[in-house]
Amino acid sequence: MQKIDVHTHILPRHIPDFKAKYGYGGFVTLEHHAPCKAKMLKDDGTFFREVEENCFDAQARLRDTDRTGVSRQVISTVPVMFSYWAKPHDTHDLSCHLNDHVAEVCAANPERFVGLGTVPLQHTELAIKELTRLVKELGLKGVQIGSHVGDLNLSAPELFPFFEAASDLGAAIFVHPWDMMGQERMSKYWLPWLVGMPAEVSLAICSMIFGGVFERLPNLRVAFAHGGGSFPITVGRVQHGFTSRPDLCAVDNPHGPREYLGRFFVDSLVHDPDALQYIVKLFGEDAVVLGSDYPFPLGEEEPGAMVLAHSGLSQAIKEKILYKNAVKFLGL
Ligand code: CO
């Protein structure tokens, strides 16, 4: 059976010295300190994460996907590279650099890689400019964006023209948690990844629903990472909040959250067969797409293994999750 993995991350082998180029720090660099390994460092020297060659080497990725039966990987940058905090023109330049690399990798193996770009989302006009370029000139299928942009949630009116442009261009949007909330109380136990990330995804979903983005842009194609984070298990609470306090929740959009179930995609990365079955039931069999978070340790080691082994999903539903829904999400 085919597999299209919509959630994988890639970096260029060599990241330019953005600190030198832009004249201030905070950017991520790669230090190749051992064969087939590199450290992701903030340019003040702070260690972020160790990566292996499959993060930056297309051939290593192809060996892995051959082994795990993944027909196509959707490649996008590592969220720490979004750099929405930097000066907009610098993030624009950085985004162009990353997008050109993703496009090169896709062009070299168009049957195996599909690209999602990144944009300077802190500056709507520049973000639309690069979105247009990456779709029309680079042939990427859309973008990966963060769950928030600085102090702005995805309901912000400033961001709406960007979503409108994505809808007009037919660009897919993959929403990934980043820059997690509450980190000042999460320094131990890897909590930003375990507690903050699911909360960020729920924040993004609620913001786009309550902000009326789905209502106003019925053709916009959006997928959320990590099975929708903590949204699916709290949807009853969110709906009840909307119903009981419309004065607080229904200020920008007249319909409650349940109206929009099935209106957007979520990936399958929940690491629990019961949770997988539940999100298929909640969002619908046409709304869950395979996502593995390759090549990172919180990902699914063999993409799609849980779907394939699941006793509660029919063969037809498995085919939808493993590749057919991704074809729709990406507009392939
Ligand atoms: Co990821």
Side-chain angles (χ1 to χ4, degrees):
M1 194 183 312
Q2 282 190 60
K3 289 183 194 171
I4 301 177
D5 185 350
V6 307
H7 183 171
T8 83
H9 300 290
I10 192 167
L11 289 172
R13 181 182 296 271
H14 299 289
I15 299 177
D17 186 349
F18 291 123
K19 183 179 184 179
K21 189 172 185 188
Y22 307 141
Y24 55 97
F27 301 95
V28 169
T29 57
L30 271 186
E31 181 186 300
H32 294 268
H33 66 99
C36 308
K37 284 184 190 298
K39 287 177 186 167
M40 293 180 75
L41 302 173
K42 296 273 175 75
D43 54 23
D44 62 1
T46 315
F47 177 74
F48 176 69
R49 175 187 285 169
E50 171 128 341
V51 295
E52 300 192 2
E53 66 173 342
N54 55 8
C55 192
F56 48 80
D57 184 309
Q59 294 309 314
R61 299 174 79 94
L62 288 172
R63 286 195 294 277
D64 285 346
T65 50
D66 285 345
R67 180 173 52 79
T68 56
V70 171
S71 338
R72 300 183 92 173
Q73 269 191 344
V74 180
I75 54 176
S76 57
T77 195
V78 181
V80 73
M81 301 300 292
F82 288 151
S83 308
Y84 298 151
W85 54 268
K87 292 178 187 169
H89 284 87
D90 298 334
T91 309
H92 182 226
D93 180 75
L94 182 155
S95 299
C96 291
H97 182 85
L98 295 174
N99 295 339
D100 288 347
H101 167 254
V102 163
E104 274 170 33
V105 172
C106 293
N109 280 286
E111 301 301 314
R112 303 299 300 278
F113 295 121
V114 178
L116 294 179
T118 184
V119 292
L121 205 50
Q122 73 273 43
H123 190 296
T124 308
E125 204 175 306
L126 288 175
I128 293 173
K129 185 179 174 189
E130 178 55 7
L131 176 71
T132 306
R133 186 187 80 99
L134 69 87
V135 169
K136 291 198 165 173
E137 292 178 30
L138 300 183
L140 305 189
K141 293 299 175 188
V143 282
Q144 173 187 230
I145 66 169
S147 45
H148 66 98
V149 184
D151 292 333
L152 299 182
N153 287 327
L154 300 185
S155 52
E158 294 91 324
L159 297 175
F160 187 77
F162 175 78
F163 292 128
E164 203 168 30
S167 179
D168 291 345
L169 287 162
I173 294 184
F174 183 57
V175 181
H176 196 293
W178 89 301
D179 187 25
M180 277 70 80
M181 63 178 86
Q183 290 198 53
E184 62 283 0
R185 284 188 293 121
M186 295 196 196
S187 58
K188 275 182 87 175
Y189 311 126
W190 211 20
L191 292 180
W193 268 254
L194 305 184
V195 176
M197 278 194 163
E200 282 288 338
V201 180
S202 186
L203 173 68
I205 295 175
C206 289
S207 296
M208 290 186 77
I209 290 175
F210 289 143
V213 179
F214 295 122
E215 182 65 25
R216 293 163 70 192
L217 299 172
N219 297 320
L220 182 66
R221 301 193 308 273
V222 182
F224 296 91
H226 308 159
S230 49
F231 178 81
I233 201 67
T234 53
V235 64
R237 179 179 180 85
V238 177
Q239 177 66 43
H240 186 69
F242 179 90
T243 308
S244 61
R245 290 301 304 268
D247 57 315
L248 299 178
C249 303
V251 292
D252 291 326
N253 192 58
H255 307 299
R258 287 196 186 275
E259 291 265 332
Y260 300 94
L261 299 177
R263 175 58 195 80
F264 50 85
F265 298 87
V266 296
D267 78 16
S268 59
L269 190 58
V270 291
H271 297 291
D272 182 292
D274 290 336
L276 178 61
Q277 181 129 40
Y278 171 60
I279 62 171
V280 170
K281 183 176 178 217
L282 182 72
F283 296 113
E285 62 189 61
D286 297 314
V288 181
V289 290
L290 172 63
S292 77
D293 219 357
Y294 174 97
F296 296 135
L298 255 183
E300 187 177 26
E301 175 80 22
E302 185 177 328
M306 182 174 288
V307 173
L308 281 169
H310 206 292
S311 58
L313 300 172
S314 69
Q315 186 69 11
I317 292 177
K318 290 179 182 181
E319 286 178 9
K320 286 184 175 184
I321 298 172
L322 291 178
Y323 70 97
K324 287 182 174 172
N325 292 342
V327 169
K328 289 185 198 163
F329 164 54
L330 297 161
L332 297 178

